[in-house]
Amino acid sequence: MTNASPFSTSRRDFIELLAVGLTLASVAGPRAFAQTSALSALKIATIGAGREGGALGTLFAKRGHSVLFSSRHPEGLKDLVAAAGPTARAGTVAEAVAFGEVIILAVPYTAVEGIGREFGSALAAKPLIIDVSNPIPARDGRDFVDRIKSEGGPGVVTAKLLNGARVVRGFNAIHYASLEEISHRQGERIGIPIAGDDPAAIDLANRLIRGIGFEPVLIGGLAKGGYLVPGTPLSGEHTAAEIRRIVATLG
Ligand SMILES: NC(=O)c1ccc[n+]([C@@H]2O[C@H](COP(=O)([O-])OP(=O)(O)OC[C@H]3O[C@@H](n4cnc5c(N)ncnc54)[C@H](OP(=O)(O)O)[C@@H]3O)[C@@H](O)[C@H]2O)c1
């Protein structure tokens, strides 16, 4: 059950959005707060607008945030933008980097290095990068995946490739096709395991994730990011309590 515009949010939702704006102000300074306070919503950009980036960006757009979907071929994103509603639009990756107060990084993991080379310093200035991207043997090759693991795992490596950006891993192993249906679930919400090192970025991620109807669960620092990939016990749909129980069994 999502809201089509910021004007249809409930009082609880409005307070949550306002809190997100205040958190952003605390980490990004008064200029960012001035940009967001009018609608009490954030500018969220996706780098990668395929299955997962498209589904996540749509949830944020329907929640009332301004969303810019980007890819190297933004002309192909018309249907996605139309479905996401009036707060969404499409652009180039450079436009996404310029626009987003929060960035959702949802690309094949092999693309992260090049994105870091081109946009690393701009991304490092953002209060939050949500890193959804995974190194996957079947897609990226076993050697590549082993190299990322030997360099500290995907959380540590993403932050390094993005010039020390405030990275929080999240939504890494939850299927794009279920996201809308399982968000705002009645009763106990679906949990989203997250990993990060920066307290303000984690706080902002928590608020954004709650706003789209999930319960974030911090499993540890970015060094734990390797647990947040498909095929681990944390992948799939779990409640927050189940995630905490699984985390207690991990090394
Ligand atoms: N599918 C899922 O259910 C799911 C769930 C959790 C996490 N993930 C992870 O999310 C990431 C994306 O998966 P996906 O399934 O959404 O893939 P996808 O449908 O193939 O979409 C990939 C997106 O990345 C863009 N892209 C590729 N290379 C790029 C580059 N160098 N610069 C900028 N954009 C680039 C593509 O756009 P252009 O080619 O037009 O540039 C496309 O929009 C992966 O790492 C995956 O492991 C996926």
Side-chain angles (χ1 to χ4, degrees), residues 147-170:
R147 179 164 67 79
I148 300 302
K149 195 172 175 185
S150 72
E151 291 175 8
V156 170
V157 171
T158 305
K160 190 169 66 184
L161 293 174
L162 303 186
N163 294 21
R166 299 173 181 95
V167 170
V168 174
R169 278 182 72 74

Side-chain angles (χ1 to χ4, degrees), residues 27 136 182 216 229:
V27 294
I136 303 281
I182 62 176
V229 292

Side-chain angles (χ1 to χ4, degrees), residues 137-205:
R139 186 190 53 211
D140 306 326
R142 172 51 67 189
D143 288 352
F144 177 82
V145 174
D146 287 347
R147 179 164 67 79
I148 300 302
K149 195 172 175 185
S150 72
E151 291 175 8
V156 170
V157 171
T158 305
K160 190 169 66 184
L161 293 174
L162 303 186
N163 294 21
R166 299 173 181 95
V167 170
V168 174
R169 278 182 72 74
F171 296 99
N172 304 87
I174 195 149
H175 197 253
Y176 79 99
S178 322
L179 277 174
E180 181 164 13
E181 189 189 331
I182 62 176
S183 67
H184 292 283
R185 195 174 72 164
Q186 295 299 314
E188 214 176 339
R189 285 181 169 190
I190 295 291
I192 300 295
I194 63 171
D197 291 334
D198 184 277
I202 292 165
D203 186 55
L204 182 53

Side-chain angles (χ1 to χ4, degrees), residues 47-54 70-74 77 93 105-109 111-112 115 132-136 139-140 171-177 230:
I47 300 181
R51 290 165 295 180
E52 189 76 3
S70 79
S71 84
R72 296 164 300 178
H73 311 100
L77 301 177
V93 179
L105 185 63
V107 294
Y109 204 85
V112 177
I115 290 167
V132 181
S133 308
N134 300 311
I136 303 281
R139 186 190 53 211
D140 306 326
F171 296 99
N172 304 87
I174 195 149
H175 197 253
Y176 79 99

Side-chain angles (χ1 to χ4, degrees), residues 3-15:
N3 294 301
S5 85
F7 307 108
S8 61
T9 52
S10 68
R11 185 166 178 276
R12 177 169 173 257
D13 290 343
F14 174 78
I15 290 167

Side-chain angles (χ1 to χ4, degrees), residues 33-146:
F33 180 62
Q35 288 170 340
T36 59
S37 56
L39 275 181
S40 297
L42 300 188
K43 295 178 187 172
I44 298 178
T46 76
I47 300 181
R51 290 165 295 180
E52 189 76 3
L56 263 179
T58 298
L59 286 186
F60 284 113
K62 290 189 172 174
R63 181 70 183 75
H65 296 286
S66 296
V67 172
L68 193 153
F69 293 105
S70 79
S71 84
R72 296 164 300 178
H73 311 100
E75 66 283 359
L77 301 177
K78 288 192 178 75
D79 289 350
L80 174 64
V81 166
T87 64
R89 63 191 174 95
T92 63
V93 179
E95 285 167 337
V97 173
F99 174 84
E101 292 164 322
V102 171
I103 304 286
I104 297 171
L105 185 63
V107 294
Y109 204 85
T110 46
V112 177
E113 185 171 359
I115 290 167
R117 255 196 317 273
E118 200 167 350
F119 302 109
S121 46
L123 294 174
K126 307 286 180 188
L128 171 63
I129 311 287
I130 302 179
D131 177 22
V132 181
S133 308
N134 300 311
I136 303 281
R139 186 190 53 211
D140 306 326
R142 172 51 67 189
D143 288 352
F144 177 82
V145 174
D146 287 347

